[in-house]
Amino acid sequence: MVELKTDTSIDAMYEAGQVVARALTAARRAADVGVSLLELDEVAHDVLREAGATSPFLGYRPSFAPTPFPAVLCTSVNDAIVHGVPDRYRLRDGDLVSLDFGAELGGWVGDSALSFVVGTPRKGDPRLVETVERALAAGIEAAVVGNRIGDIAHAIGTVCRGAGYGIPDGFGGHGIGRRMHEDPGVPNEGRPGRGMRLRHGMVLAIEPMVIGGGTDDYHAAPDGWTLKTNDGSRAAHAEHTVAITDAGPRILTAR
C-alpha cells in the first residue's frame, strides 16, 4: 500500500532529509587519501547525534542479509556497487567511492547517496559519476504528477544504457516515509507509461546504479552485504528522496 503524505508530513521529511544532506556533505569532505571507511562512518554518526536523529541503517536486517547492518553509512569502493560495510580500509588515491546514508527524525526517514573520486581520477571514472548523476536528474525530472513509475524507470535506464553501462538487476529506488523502504518499488529500467500513476503526496527514493563494464552481473561479497561487479569494473550510485507535488518534484535531501 502506498501512503500519500500530507504537505505537513513532507515538510517534516525535508527536515530528516537535511540531516542526511549534512552527513553526506561532511563525510564527502572528510574523505581523503589515508582516511578509513570507519572514520567516515563516525563523521556521519556525529551529524546524527548533533541533530538528535537516529539511523535506519544501523541494525537493519532485510531477508537477504546474514547479519544486521553494523554501521550508519554504506561505503562502497571501486567495484562495490552498493551496501558496502565500513571497515579499516584506508582510502587510496584514485578510489571511486559511493556513500549511502539515511536518517530518521521525528518519525520520518530520509535517504540519499553520492559518488566521487578521491584524489586523481582514473580514466572513465568522471564519466561514470557524471552519468549516474545525470540519470538521477532524469529520474527526478520524470517524477511529476500524472506520470507513472515506468516513466521514471525509463528516464533512468535511457541515460545509463545510452552511456553503455550496466544496471544491476533487482535493485533500484523505493517509496519512503515512516519506514526506509515502502511501496512502490522504483526500477532503474522500464517502459514509459507503465506502472503506478504518480500523485501529489507520494515520496520516492530515486537511486540509479551503474556498472562501468557494461554488464549487469554482480555478486555478494563474503560479508553478505556488499554487492560487487562480477567483471571487477567500477560502479557508481546516486540517490535523492523526492516528494511528488502539484508544483513539481521536491528534492528533500538536496545538498
Side-chain angles (χ1 to χ4, degrees), residues 134 153-163 167 188-190:
R134 189 157 47 88
H154 178 71
I156 292 171
T158 297
V159 172
C160 298
R161 294 298 189 192
I167 300 172
N188 285 329
E189 193 169 28

Side-chain angles (χ1 to χ4, degrees), residues 161-186:
R161 294 298 189 192
Y165 296 138
I167 300 172
D169 184 44
F171 286 88
H174 49 89
I176 186 171
R178 293 287 185 183
R179 294 176 290 111
M180 182 166 56
H181 293 118
E182 298 183 352
D183 291 333
V186 186

Side-chain angles (χ1 to χ4, degrees), residues 5 15 28 44 59 72 98 123 128 158 168 231 237 243 247 250-251:
K5 280 71 175 178
E15 296 303 319
R28 170 67 183 89
V72 302
S98 297
K123 183 180 179 180
L128 193 65
T158 297
D231 61 5
H237 174 209
R250 181 182 179 188
I251 303 174

